[in-house]
Amino acid sequence: MSLIKVLTIIALVPVVFNLLKLAWKCWRGLREFVLSEYWKVNLRTYGQWAVVTGATSGIGKAYAKQLAQRGLDVILVSRSDEKLQVVAKEIEDRYGRKTRTIRVDFTDGHSIYRAIAKELEGLEIGILVNNVGMTHSDHLAYFLEIPDSEKKITQVINCNILSVSQMTRLVLPGMIERGSGLIINISSEAGNRPHPLFSLYSATKIFVTYFSQCLHAEYKSKGITVQCVAPLLVSTNMTNNMKVNCFVKSASEYAREALNTVGHSSYTSGCLSHALQNMALTVLMPDWLRMSSFFIRVLRNYVDIVKGQRQACKEDEKFRAC
């Protein structure tokens, strides 16, 4: 064999490898976001009950409804008893499933989990959705600009980190004993990489991502699936109920599509739209740009302009009302 042929073969190896890698990614994406619409896992095989934290609004409420629609009884966990009763009645009336409610405030720290454990005792918990979460501010801000920071930092960590690990601790032993279980941890695209001006929230979400991936590796051989779901923008109270469009998903539609990915991926953006956006952001906003002082100044100036416009609109509305 001539030297030219040898060099040609050597040059073709990485090309073929990358083509195969691309084909595999395309197949996984097709299966995860397209075929999953018709190739769904029977969620009832995991167990009778599903536990959903932060279940009275947004993604949590949407997950609770979807799980009930797919045949599971639902335990709703949140801090507002009034809202819990409303969601529970809606699920019972619409889907004919049994519900239970647990009223706790996840910002209170470790003291609440003994009461939760007592409420869950003796129930066959097949699915846990760790959804509850909060941001440190309603806008992008430097770390030292967090309002009431001494209190808020502890609340965010309790809500976003402690809740995930403690709720998992409560339900995982029963799942292992039965050899079946599903834990869905709601992370965020903000947990994929560092996000300046969103530092505390971003850091808590990367915990959720890594914790989920490690747990899945540890317990998948025991029949436990741990899925990390990392959405971008979903219209919820946390995002000021943004208008739904091709980039922003409604909570109900997002939860439906994200649940379809169970069994097809242990880490997912939840829907095709968010997966494509994440790919685009990775290319258009590399780490060196996002972490640069220049970009942070531009972003902060933009936030200040938007805040000024909102304030002006509020003052104008007050003037017209008078």
Side-chain angles (χ1 to χ4, degrees):
M1 185 179 294
S2 68
L3 179 61
I4 294 177
K5 289 183 178 180
V6 171
L7 293 175
T8 301
I9 293 172
I10 293 173
L12 284 175
V13 168
V15 174
V16 172
F17 175 79
N18 284 316
L19 287 174
L20 290 173
K21 188 177 178 180
L22 178 61
W24 174 246
K25 286 184 176 181
C26 289
W27 161 245
R28 288 188 61 184
L30 179 68
R31 186 184 69 175
E32 183 178 347
F33 300 117
V34 181
L35 298 181
S36 62
E37 183 71 31
Y38 313 97
W39 185 8
K40 300 174 184 177
V41 171
N42 182 4
L43 300 179
R44 296 183 65 181
T45 60
Y46 289 111
Q48 178 186 355
W49 289 90
V51 179
V52 183
T53 65
T56 55
S57 66
I59 294 176
K61 181 180 178 180
Y63 260 96
K65 288 183 175 181
Q66 280 293 319
L67 289 166
Q69 185 177 346
R70 300 188 192 201
L72 285 95
D73 298 326
V74 186
I75 301 168
L76 308 165
V77 191
S78 193
R79 64 181 178 178
S80 170
D81 188 59
E82 182 180 351
K83 292 180 179 179
L84 282 168
Q85 298 308 319
V86 170
V87 177
K89 188 176 186 307
E90 186 177 346
I91 287 175
E92 291 172 358
D93 292 346
R94 185 170 182 179
Y95 304 109
R97 305 306 308 180
K98 291 187 289 185
T99 65
R100 294 193 179 193
T101 62
I102 304 175
R103 190 193 70 79
V104 292
D105 188 340
F106 284 100
T107 65
D108 287 343
H110 70 276
S111 60
I112 66 174
Y113 295 99
R114 183 173 297 177
I116 296 175
K118 188 175 181 180
E119 294 289 340
L120 299 181
E121 190 175 354
L123 297 178
E124 185 185 72
I125 309 298
I127 299 175
L128 167 65
V129 181
N130 279 313
N131 162 76
V132 69
M134 62 183 293
T135 59
H136 58 264
S137 176
D138 61 356
H139 61 273
L140 299 178
Y142 286 95
F143 177 71
L144 291 180
E145 294 176 346
I146 296 175
D148 195 11
S149 59
E150 182 178 0
K151 180 180 179 181
K152 185 59 70 68
I153 289 170
T154 302
Q155 288 180 332
V156 170
I157 291 174
N158 284 343
C159 190
N160 294 7
I161 293 179
L162 189 64
S163 68
V164 175
S165 48
Q166 289 285 14
M167 290 300 297
T168 299
R169 175 184 65 84
L170 294 180
V171 305
L172 190 55
M175 293 179 174
I176 293 173
E177 186 178 345
R178 295 190 312 274
S180 177
L182 168 64
I183 298 174
I184 300 174
N185 294 327
I186 307 299
S187 181
S188 170
E189 191 277 332
N192 286 344
R193 52 189 65 87
H195 283 259
L197 303 182
F198 222 35
S199 56
L200 185 60
Y201 180 79
S202 176
T204 61
K205 287 304 181 180
I206 194 61
F207 168 85
V208 176
T209 299
Y210 281 3
F211 183 68
S212 303
Q213 292 173 335
C214 291
L215 276 185
H216 184 69
E218 290 174 10
Y219 290 101
K220 61 184 177 181
S221 63
K222 300 182 184 298
I224 313 301
T225 297
V226 182
Q227 183 188 54
C228 182
V229 180
L232 275 85
L233 292 176
V234 179
S235 181
T236 65
N237 293 338
M238 186 181 290
T239 58
N240 298 313
N241 297 303
M242 300 175 71
K243 185 178 180 181
V244 175
N245 53 45
C246 58
F247 299 105
V248 181
K249 303 289 288 189
S250 69
S252 58
E253 186 63 17
Y254 181 80
R256 185 189 68 80
E257 293 187 36
L259 263 179
N260 289 345
T261 68
V262 170
H264 300 287
S265 176
S266 61
Y267 180 90
T268 180
S269 295
C271 64
L272 181 59
S273 170
H274 286 190
L276 294 175
Q277 288 179 64
N278 189 41
M279 291 173 59
L281 287 171
T282 301
V283 174
L284 299 176
M285 197 179 296
D287 288 351
W288 65 264
L289 173 60
R290 192 178 57 260
M291 302 295 286
S292 67
S293 298
F294 167 76
F295 182 76
I296 293 172
R297 284 196 302 269
V298 170
L299 190 60
R300 180 52 188 268
N301 289 338
Y302 172 76
V303 170
D304 289 341
I305 291 171
V306 172
K307 286 173 62 180
Q309 290 175 341
R310 288 179 179 174
Q311 186 62 33
C313 288
K314 289 181 180 178
E315 291 178 356
D316 185 52
E317 288 175 359
K318 288 180 180 179
F319 176 78
R320 292 179 179 180
C322 296

